[in-house]
Amino acid sequence: MNVVSRRSLLRGLLGAAMLSPFAGLLRTAAADGAGGPAKRILFFYFPDGVPDPGGAAGKWFPQGSDTNVTLSENLAPLARFAKDTLFLRGLSMGATDAGSHPGGAKKLLTAVDGGGGESIDRWLARNVGSASPVSHLYLGAMAAQNNASGDKFISYPSAGTTVAPEDDPRAAFARLFGSATPTPGASSGPDPDDTSVLDTAFADLESMRRRAGDVEKAKLDLHLEALRDVEKRVKGLGAVPTASCQNPRIDTAGITSQTLNEAATFPQILRAQSDLMVQAMACGLTRVGVLQCSQHTSELIMSRFAGTPLYRPSFDMRSHQASHYGDPGDSKFADYTAQRTWFVAQAAYVLEQLAARPEGSGTMLDHSLVVICSEVSDGNTHSHDNMPFVVCGKGGGAVRTGRILDAGGRRHGELWVSLARAMGANLGSFGSGGGPLPGVLV
Amino acid sequence: MRVLVFFGLLGLVAASQAACNDKPGRTTAADTTRGQALYKDLCASCHGAKGEGGVAPVLRDWTRGEETLTRIIDERMPQGAPEKCDGDCPPSIARYILDTFKGEVVCESPKPLARGLRLLSRRELEATVSDILAGTTAAPAPAAPCGTVSFVYDPKGRAVTRVHVAGSFNGWPGTIAGGGYPLTRAGNVFALAQPLPNGSHSYKLVLDERDWIPDPDNPRRGPDGFGGENSLVDVSCPASGTAPPEKGDDVVASAFVSYPKEARPEAYHFDQHGPSRVTSAPLAEAVFRIAATVSQAADVPKMLACGANVDEACTKSFVTRVGKRVFRRPLEADEQKRYEALALGGADRTKGARLALRAMLTSPAFLYRTELGEKKGDTFVLTRWEVASAMSYGVTGSMPDDALMGAAERGDLATREGREREARRLLGTPRARKHLGEFAEQWLGADKVAEVEKQSALFPDDSPALRAAMREETRRFFTHVVFDGSHRTAELFRANYTFVDATLAKHYGMAAPKTPFEKQAYPDRARAGLLGHASVLATTAHSDQSSPIRRGLFVRRNLLCQELPPPPPNVGGVPKIDPNATTRERFAQHTANASCASCHRHIDPVGFGFERFDAMGRLRDSENGKPIDAKGDMTDVEGLGKGTSAPFADLASLGETLAESRAAEACVAKQLYRFTRGVLEGDACVTRPYETRFRDRGGDVRELLVDLVSSEDFTVRQ
C-alpha cells in the first residue's frame, strides 16, 4: 500500500524525483503518436469579464486587423507571445441568459444554454486524453470557496452536472506525483491488494449497472471513468523521465489549510497550481487541463495581493465589485483594468513555463493550446457578445497564430470545434453551435 | 428573462416533481387567449402556471383591482426587465389573471421523486465510516464535545514562538515536551481547543517555556500562592456530553483531510446528496485512500468475532454481517461470492477479512444509496432496505443502525406507523442532534463563517477559535430549541438567550459563561434569537462593512423562502465607503431610484434592522460618529405582493414579526424538505402538504421531520 507521507507535505517545497505513483505511465512526449509530440490543451479561466464599455475606452481587445496587431493594456503581458497567439473578437455565446454571470459560466465550455451538455474539456478528455494516466485535470485557485454552488464551476462532466476543481495544490500534488518519500518496494509493480480492491469495485459497478437498467447511466459512466484513472495510477510500471519532465516540484510556502481561503495567498496558490498543471502535462500525465481562478461574481479581495500593483491594504477591492465600475471615469474602472491585466500576466507565466521546456524541434508551447477565457464580456453589463477569448500556442502548427480574427458574431461553440480538430479529434459540431470557426485552423 | 433563468435552474435540480391543477371545469375566455400566451411566456415560471405562486407571489383571488394589477405589470414586470411587457401586454395579462385565477389551487398529491442513485455527501460518508468502524450501533461523539475549552493568546506584537497551557489538569508542566498543551499559531494569534474534564481548574499560559502569565482573555482569576494570579475555568457537562470520542474517529477524521471540496447545486443551501452529484477522479482517489487507511485501523478480529479459530464458516459469516452493514442491505449472491473470495484468498484470514472490508468501503455499492425500488403499477416502491437508508440518512445523516435494520427486516417500515415509530426513536440518538445542528448551519449559511474574509485591521479579536464558536453557537441554539426548548420555530426568532463560550461572550460584550456553551440570557434586547448570531451577521456582511442588502435577502430567502431575481447588469455595485455617512445613508439611492426600488423596497428596509451590528456581528451604537438608525419595515412577510407593512423599531421587534409569521414557519418545512430530499421542490404544491400538517400538528419541528421521512410519497419513486 502506498501511504503518502504527511510529513513531506509539510515542507515548503514539494518535490518528487521521478517517484510519481504514475511513474510507470510517465512517457516521453515524443512517444505519443507518430505526428510528433503530444498536443495538450489548457483552459485558463478568470472571473467577471473584462473592461469593454464600448468605443475607445475598452482595455481588452487589441487594435488592428489580421497580422497587424497592437496589444491592449490588458493583453500587454502577452507581448512576448504575440506571434504565438490568436486574438479573437466578435464571438458570441448567444442571447439566452445574456446579462447573467452564472448563465455565462454554464455556456462557456459547454456551448449549451444552462450547462445542458458536456463541456469541451471533458469531451476532449474522453476522446483525446483517455489514454493519459489522468484523462482530465481540473485545478482551481479558491474556486470552490464559501460553499460554492455548482454553477460556479465551468467544467461539466455531463449535462447539468459539475464537480468542484481541486483547490489545494498540496493535495493535488500528492495525488499526481505522490510523496517525496515512497514506500520501499512501491515501484516494483502494482500492489496486488490495490488491484483486487479495484477489480472488486469494477465488478460491483457492473452489478449495479445491471440492476439500475437505464437509470443513471451517465452517473455510472462517470464513476467508471474515475475508477479507471485510479486503476491507471495503481497499475503504473517503470519511470521514463523526459527532457521536459525533470524532478517535478511546486512551491507551497505559505499555503496552509487556513491560508488556502485567504485572498493574500491567492497569487501563491495560483502559481503552485500553474506549475503543477504544466508539469503534469510535461510529464505526460495529462493532455487536457482546466485552471479556474476564483469563481464568477467573485468575492476575491484582489487588493490584498502584496507585491502586485493591485495591493492596497487599507481598502478591500473585490473582483466582482470592481467589475461594476459604472462609468469608465470611475476609479473602479482603473482597479478592474489592473485586475484583468494581472490575470493575463498569470496566464503569461504559464506560457513562459511551456516555452521554457524544449520538445521536438521547438518547445512545449509549440505543441500546446492555452485558451484564456471568462464567463462574460464587459463586466459592467454582463454581455455575452464579443467574448474575450484568446488562444495561445500553435497546437503543433494547427492554429494560425500572430493574428486578430473577427468572428463577426458567430457562436463560440465553433471555436471549440476548431480547437478539438487542432487537437486531432474528429468533431463535426459542438453544443448548440455549428463549426468549425473559419480562419482558426491552418 | 432573468427571472425565468432562475426558475429554470430549480427545474434542473428538482426534476419535475409535481403538478398543481386548477379546479376542473373552468373555461378560458376567448379574449384572454393572448393574455394566456403572454402569461405563460413571461410570468408562469415564477408565479406558477395557475398563479399559485412559487418564487414569486400568489396571484389567485387578486383583491387590489384591475387598474393596480395592470400598473404593477406595466411598471415592474417581468421583474428586472419591464421593457419586455409594454403596450397591450400588461392589460392582456391582468385580464387573464383576473378571469382565470379564482379560488384555492387544488394541489394533486405530489408526483414522486425520480428513481436513481444518491452519492453519499462528504458528511454522510464520514459519519458512515465512523459508524462502521464503531462496529455496533451508531453512538458517536458530538462534533465539539461539551467541555472543550478554547484558549487563545494574542501576542500583540510581542515576539513569541511557543505558547502552552499548564494547569491543575495536566500537572503544571513547564515545557510542551513535559505535557504542556501547545497552542498553535493561527494568523496573528495562538489558539487551542482542548477538552477538559468536569471540575474547577486553574491554569496559566506559558510563553516560550519561560514566562508564566494568567490568560489575558479570561477575566476569572484567583491567587496562585506565589503572589500572582492563576486563570480559572469550570467545566461541568451532563453525562451525555462527556462521552469520549469513539475509537477510530481520529483515524477517520485524518483520513478525510484530503477529501476534495464539494459543489452544491445552484440556489441549494445544503450538502448535496441529490441527483446531480457525481463522482470525479479526485473523489474516487480520495475514497480509495480513505478505505485503505480506515480498514487498516479497523478492529478486524473483533468484527470477525471468530476467536482464535478463524475458520472458513466464520469468515463467510463476517462477509455476510459486515457486508450487510456496509451496503445497508444483504449482499447479492454475486457480491457475497466476490467478497468471500477476497477474505479467503490468502493464508491469513484476518488479513483477508481486512482486504474484503477495504474493498467494500471502495465499492460503488457502498458509496451510492440506491433508490430504485420495485415496480408497482405506474410507480416504483422502495425496498425495505432502501426505506431504512432513506430514513436514516434523513434523520441522522448516517447509515441505519442495527435496530432500524431489524425493523426493516421485520417489514415494520412498510407502514406509515412503523416508519413514524422508528423515526421518533432515531430522533433520540446523538447523531440526529448533530445532523440537525448541521441542518441549521447550512440553512442559515452559518457554516460559511469559517471561510469568509474580514479586514483584520477592523477586527483584531478575529481568530479561528472565535469563528468556530460562532458556528457552535448556532448549532447549539437550534438543537436546543428543537430538542430541549419549545420545539417550535417561533422560539428561533424571539429567544432571549443563546450559547456562547468565553471568546464569543467577549465578542458580544457578555459575561463569560461558567461553562462553555451553556445556556445564557442575552444581557439586553439588542440581539433576538438567531437574528443576533454573529455567524449570521458576519456571513451576511462584507469584509469591511455591514450589508443591509445581504441581510435583507437572508431574511427573504433563508427565513421566508421568498426569492427575488438577481440584480440587473449595469448596476453600480457597493457604494464607496464614505467616512462621513452611515451605511444606511449610502444605500439610500436604492430606494430613491425607481427601478432599483421595485426590488430593494423589499430588501433594504429589512436589512436596516441589523444595522446595530457591524461586519463581524459586534454591537455598535454609532457609525462614523453618527447614531445608528435600525428602524425598518418587514413588508409582505406572508408573501411578496401581499402589500402588507410591519414597521419595526429594532431587531427584537423584527424577530417578533417573524415569530408570528406563517410564512417563516412554512419556510422551515420547505428547508427541511430540501435537506432531507436533496432537491429543491419543483413548485409550491410539493411542500404544501408538509407545511399544512406541520401547522395542524402544532408546529413541532421534531414531528415535521418524522412526517418528512414517514409520509407515503417518501417511499415511492417514478
Side-chain angles (χ1 to χ4, degrees):
Chain A
M1 186 168 48
N2 292 322
V3 178
V4 175
S5 160
R6 294 269 154 240
R7 196 171 300 280
S8 71
L9 297 184
L10 293 174
R11 290 206 293 263
L13 203 64
L14 292 185
M18 295 317 304
L19 298 168
S20 164
F22 290 103
L25 293 155
L26 298 176
R27 62 195 69 194
T28 52
D32 271 38
K39 295 177 180 179
R40 291 86 160 191
I41 187 163
L42 169 63
F43 297 85
F44 183 99
Y45 163 89
F46 66 89
D48 302 332
V50 300
D52 185 37
K59 299 291 183 187
W60 179 268
F61 292 98
Q63 298 296 307
S65 61
D66 197 37
T67 54
N68 169 24
V69 182
T70 308
L71 287 182
S72 60
E73 179 173 342
N74 282 153
L75 299 180
L78 299 179
R80 189 189 142 195
F81 304 104
K83 288 275 173 255
D84 299 317
T85 299
L86 175 63
F87 301 94
L88 290 139
R89 62 181 177 221
L91 273 173
S92 170
M93 298 204 301
T96 308
D97 294 352
S100 154
H101 285 282
K106 289 171 194 168
K107 286 190 283 186
L108 183 61
L109 297 186
T110 63
V112 180
D113 294 346
E118 181 184 29
S119 55
I120 187 65
D121 52 309
R122 299 282 176 174
W123 187 92
L124 286 166
R126 280 196 303 112
N127 290 281
V128 176
S130 61
S132 309
V134 178
S135 50
H136 183 270
L137 185 56
Y138 187 17
L139 301 177
M142 297 167 86
Q145 201 178 15
N146 291 334
N147 296 336
S149 57
D151 61 289
K152 299 280 191 186
F153 307 125
I154 57 172
S155 181
Y156 281 69
S158 65
T161 62
T162 56
V163 296
E166 293 177 90
D167 264 2
D168 184 344
R170 301 167 307 167
F173 186 92
R175 181 171 83 88
L176 295 169
F177 290 106
S179 133
T181 48
T183 315
S187 58
S188 63
D191 181 325
D193 282 1
D194 286 355
T195 312
S196 318
V197 165
L198 279 173
D199 288 348
T200 311
F202 282 119
D204 283 1
L205 189 64
E206 260 324 292
S207 304
M208 222 166 147
R209 194 189 286 280
R210 273 199 309 278
R211 280 195 290 276
D214 295 336
V215 178
E216 302 279 34
K217 186 177 176 305
K219 201 177 270 188
L220 292 172
D221 284 347
L222 289 173
H223 197 94
L224 182 65
E225 283 174 31
L227 274 180
R228 283 203 178 124
D229 268 12
V230 179
E231 184 187 37
K232 282 183 276 188
R233 177 184 67 72
V234 163
K235 294 194 171 167
L237 283 168
V240 187
T242 70
S244 55
C245 169
Q246 299 285 348
N247 196 16
R249 60 181 57 237
I250 55 170
D251 185 356
T252 60
I255 301 175
T256 66
S257 37
Q258 184 64 30
T259 61
L260 264 180
N261 293 304
E262 291 175 2
T265 327
F266 183 90
Q268 284 145 278
I269 296 170
L270 179 56
R271 181 57 51 93
Q273 297 287 47
S274 299
D275 286 336
L276 183 51
M277 179 65 78
V278 168
Q279 291 173 104
M281 290 186 161
C283 297
L285 286 179
T286 190
R287 294 178 57 191
V288 182
V290 179
L291 256 179
Q292 177 166 347
C293 301
S294 190
Q295 48 184 237
H296 73 71
T297 48
S298 169
E299 290 285 311
L300 181 63
I301 305 171
M302 300 184 72
S303 56
R304 292 195 186 172
F305 295 178
T308 78
L310 310 177
Y311 188 57
R312 277 194 297 153
S314 58
F315 184 71
D316 286 349
M317 181 55 74
R318 305 163 193 85
S319 167
H320 183 230
Q321 178 187 4
S323 77
H324 286 286
Y325 53 81
D327 182 278
D330 193 290
S331 67
K332 274 196 278 191
F333 187 74
D335 290 327
Y336 183 47
T337 302
Q339 289 177 353
R340 308 302 108 177
T341 306
W342 186 85
F343 279 125
V344 174
Q346 306 318 300
Y349 171 81
V350 172
L351 302 179
E352 285 165 20
Q353 294 305 303
L354 294 171
R357 288 174 161 75
E359 208 172 74
S361 57
T363 71
M364 248 183 100
L365 182 58
D366 296 327
H367 309 111
S368 302
L369 294 168
V370 177
V371 184
I372 302 172
C373 56
S374 191
E375 83 283 0
V376 292
S377 183
D378 178 58
N380 196 43
T381 57
H382 303 170
S383 170
H384 288 190
D385 291 327
N386 200 22
M387 291 295 294
F389 289 108
V390 176
V391 178
C392 309
K394 291 193 174 71
V399 175
R400 298 174 67 193
T401 56
R403 300 166 52 246
I404 294 175
L405 176 62
D406 192 326
R410 300 177 81 101
R411 296 292 287 269
H412 76 296
E414 298 183 10
L415 175 64
W416 299 151
V417 173
S418 294
L419 297 186
R421 292 189 179 185
M423 289 294 290
N426 184 16
L427 181 60
S429 69
F430 188 76
S432 51
L437 182 66
V440 172
L441 297 178
V442 170
Chain B
M1 290 304 296
R2 311 171 46 71
V3 282
L4 290 180
V5 172
F6 177 77
F7 206 68
L9 294 163
L10 291 192
L12 187 79
V13 288
S16 61
Q17 280 183 11
C20 292
N21 273 9
D22 199 358
K23 280 181 176 164
R26 194 169 299 282
T27 52
T28 306
D31 63 342
T32 59
T33 308
R34 176 163 161 74
Q36 182 175 23
L38 286 166
Y39 180 87
K40 186 165 168 259
D41 230 27
L42 299 172
C43 324
S45 62
C46 293
H47 292 279
K50 306 284 177 184
E52 74 275 17
V55 295
V58 176
L59 298 174
R60 300 188 76 84
D61 297 326
W62 181 263
T63 55
R64 294 162 64 196
E66 182 164 1
E67 199 184 321
T68 310
L69 181 58
T70 308
R71 185 170 49 77
I72 291 174
I73 297 170
D74 193 19
E75 289 173 2
R76 300 212 290 265
M77 297 292 144
Q79 206 149 26
E83 72 280 1
K84 289 187 174 160
C85 186
D86 288 328
D88 72 333
C89 169
S92 307
I93 293 179
R95 193 71 248 149
Y96 172 70
I97 291 171
L98 292 169
D99 285 351
T100 321
F101 298 155
K102 293 173 187 163
E104 278 283 303
V105 172
V106 179
C107 287
E108 287 185 336
S109 14
K111 279 192 189 149
L113 295 174
R115 303 167 72 208
L117 307 171
R118 289 176 186 268
L119 181 57
L120 297 184
S121 72
R122 181 205 167 117
R123 275 195 185 83
E124 289 173 337
L125 186 63
E126 196 169 342
T128 306
V129 169
S130 288
D131 284 350
I132 289 167
L133 282 205
T136 52
T137 54
C146 170
T148 298
V149 179
S150 296
F151 297 98
V152 178
Y153 174 69
D154 184 353
K156 299 201 168 82
R158 181 172 172 170
V160 176
T161 55
R162 276 173 300 175
V163 181
H164 76 264
V165 181
S168 51
F169 37 78
N170 61 354
W172 299 98
T175 61
I176 293 168
Y181 297 148
L183 279 68
T184 49
R185 186 177 269 285
N188 294 328
V189 302
F190 293 82
L192 166 71
Q194 176 66 40
L196 294 180
N198 279 353
S200 298
H201 307 291
S202 49
Y203 69 95
K204 277 187 171 171
L205 299 181
V206 188
L207 311 180
D208 289 323
E209 306 192 338
R210 190 179 60 235
D211 296 338
W212 295 65
I213 60 164
D215 185 349
D217 269 0
N218 182 353
R220 293 192 58 220
R221 303 269 170 94
D224 66 1
F226 302 98
E229 284 185 318
N230 284 331
S231 294
L232 305 176
V233 62
D234 295 334
V235 175
S236 77
C237 292
S240 65
T242 53
E246 283 292 327
K247 178 175 179 295
D249 272 9
D250 288 351
V251 175
V252 175
S254 59
F256 272 80
V257 163
S258 61
Y259 188 95
K261 278 213 177 193
E262 298 184 318
R264 293 176 178 176
E266 190 174 18
Y268 184 77
H269 297 302
F270 305 103
D271 275 358
Q272 189 184 355
H273 56 83
S276 59
R277 179 164 153 75
V278 295
T279 201
S280 63
L283 182 63
E285 187 67 48
V287 166
F288 185 77
R289 289 172 190 270
I290 287 166
T293 309
V294 300
S295 62
Q296 205 58 42
D299 190 347
V300 171
K302 189 179 155 202
M303 293 167 101
L304 272 164
C306 305
N309 180 24
V310 187
D311 63 16
E312 188 175 321
C314 186
T315 309
K316 285 181 174 173
S317 148
F318 163 89
V319 169
T320 308
R321 280 180 294 108
V322 175
K324 187 174 168 187
R325 281 174 60 75
V326 176
F327 289 3
R328 302 168 289 263
R329 56 167 170 77
L331 298 189
E332 303 281 342
D334 60 329
E335 294 164 339
Q336 178 78 26
K337 216 169 126 193
R338 272 197 288 281
Y339 289 98
E340 281 180 6
L342 278 184
L344 296 167
D348 182 341
R349 287 190 180 135
T350 306
K351 208 176 152 204
R354 195 181 296 282
L355 182 61
L357 174 64
R358 181 183 159 194
M360 286 174 188
L361 294 174
T362 315
S363 170
F366 165 63
L367 299 169
Y368 293 87
R369 290 197 269 140
T370 68
E371 291 186 351
L372 297 170
E374 287 157 352
K375 194 158 174 56
K376 200 172 181 185
D378 291 341
T379 55
F380 294 81
V381 177
L382 297 186
T383 69
R384 59 182 71 190
W385 311 111
E386 288 173 338
V387 172
S389 272
M391 288 183 64
S392 180
Y393 284 94
V395 179
T396 71
S398 188
M399 62 188 272
D401 60 15
D402 292 347
L404 186 60
M405 290 297 271
E409 187 116 53
R410 291 191 301 272
D412 292 356
L413 306 182
T415 65
R416 183 168 187 141
E417 294 68 35
R419 293 192 293 273
E420 286 180 350
R421 198 164 52 240
E422 277 302 308
R424 292 198 181 97
R425 182 186 64 76
L426 288 173
L427 270 172
T429 63
R431 272 261 188 259
R433 214 177 165 102
K434 181 167 184 279
H435 191 51
L436 281 224
E438 281 162 5
F439 162 74
E441 67 169 1
Q442 292 174 38
W443 164 39
L444 302 169
D447 52 348
K448 282 189 270 192
V449 83
E451 289 187 2
V452 292
E453 289 213 58
K454 297 294 170 187
Q455 262 284 16
S456 47
L458 296 175
F459 308 106
D461 74 336
D462 190 8
S463 71
L466 176 64
R467 305 235 187 157
M470 289 175 180
R471 289 177 67 176
E472 181 63 13
E473 174 192 29
T474 300
R475 289 191 295 250
R476 290 250 179 172
F477 172 73
F478 183 81
T479 50
H480 171 85
V481 169
V482 170
F483 290 103
D484 313 321
S486 67
H487 324 301
R488 306 291 190 278
T489 57
E491 192 173 347
L492 298 173
F493 306 112
R494 62 159 68 113
N496 62 355
Y497 61 85
T498 193
F499 300 82
V500 295
D501 67 353
T503 315
L504 191 54
K506 194 178 161 202
H507 188 70
Y508 282 178
M510 291 168 70
K514 281 208 184 82
T515 304
F517 299 111
E518 68 182 353
K519 186 177 169 188
Q520 193 176 7
Y522 282 133
D524 51 42
R525 271 174 51 90
R527 293 177 200 266
L530 60 83
L531 300 181
H533 284 201
S535 62
V536 167
L537 296 164
T539 48
T540 55
H542 295 290
S543 57
D544 50 3
Q545 52 184 305
S546 71
S547 172
I549 298 181
R550 290 185 181 181
R551 290 168 175 180
L553 282 171
F554 166 78
V555 172
R556 292 286 173 200
R557 288 180 176 154
N558 301 57
L559 303 184
L560 293 169
C561 294
Q562 297 170 348
E563 288 296 341
L564 288 147
N570 220 350
V571 297
V574 184
K576 283 202 188 82
I577 289 185
D578 176 350
N580 301 312
T582 64
T583 306
R584 185 179 188 124
E585 288 166 342
R586 289 188 294 119
F587 279 86
Q589 57 168 298
H590 280 148
T591 31
N593 175 320
S595 84
C596 299
S598 72
C599 286
H600 280 277
R601 68 196 183 90
H602 290 305
I603 301 171
D604 304 20
V606 181
F608 288 144
F610 297 85
E611 271 300 281
R612 283 195 69 196
F613 301 95
D614 68 15
M616 203 62 181
R618 291 183 310 196
L619 199 58
R620 61 181 180 181
D621 287 319
S622 64
E623 186 184 9
N624 297 326
K626 294 186 176 178
I628 292 285
D629 175 2
K631 290 196 291 293
D633 190 356
M634 184 64 252
T635 57
D636 285 4
V637 66
E638 302 300 353
L640 294 170
K642 299 265 181 194
T644 63
S645 171
F648 56 84
D650 54 27
L651 198 65
S653 40
L654 170 61
E656 200 50 44
T657 301
L658 294 172
E660 297 290 330
S661 161
R662 291 184 68 149
E665 185 187 61
C667 184
V668 171
K670 285 193 180 78
Q671 301 286 11
L672 258 178
Y673 174 92
R674 296 167 181 173
F675 182 65
T676 55
R677 297 298 193 273
V679 293
L680 293 167
E681 71 278 9
D683 66 51
C685 278
V686 174
T687 52
R688 189 165 297 170
Y690 293 103
E691 294 162 26
T692 307
R693 289 195 291 267
F694 182 34
R695 186 165 186 85
D696 291 350
R697 293 175 186 181
D700 186 326
V701 177
R702 297 170 305 175
E703 284 303 303
L704 166 63
L705 190 57
V706 169
D707 188 25
L708 279 165
V709 300
S710 54
S711 65
E712 299 304 334
D713 76 293
F714 184 69
T715 63
V716 179
R717 297 292 181 272
Q718 64 173 358

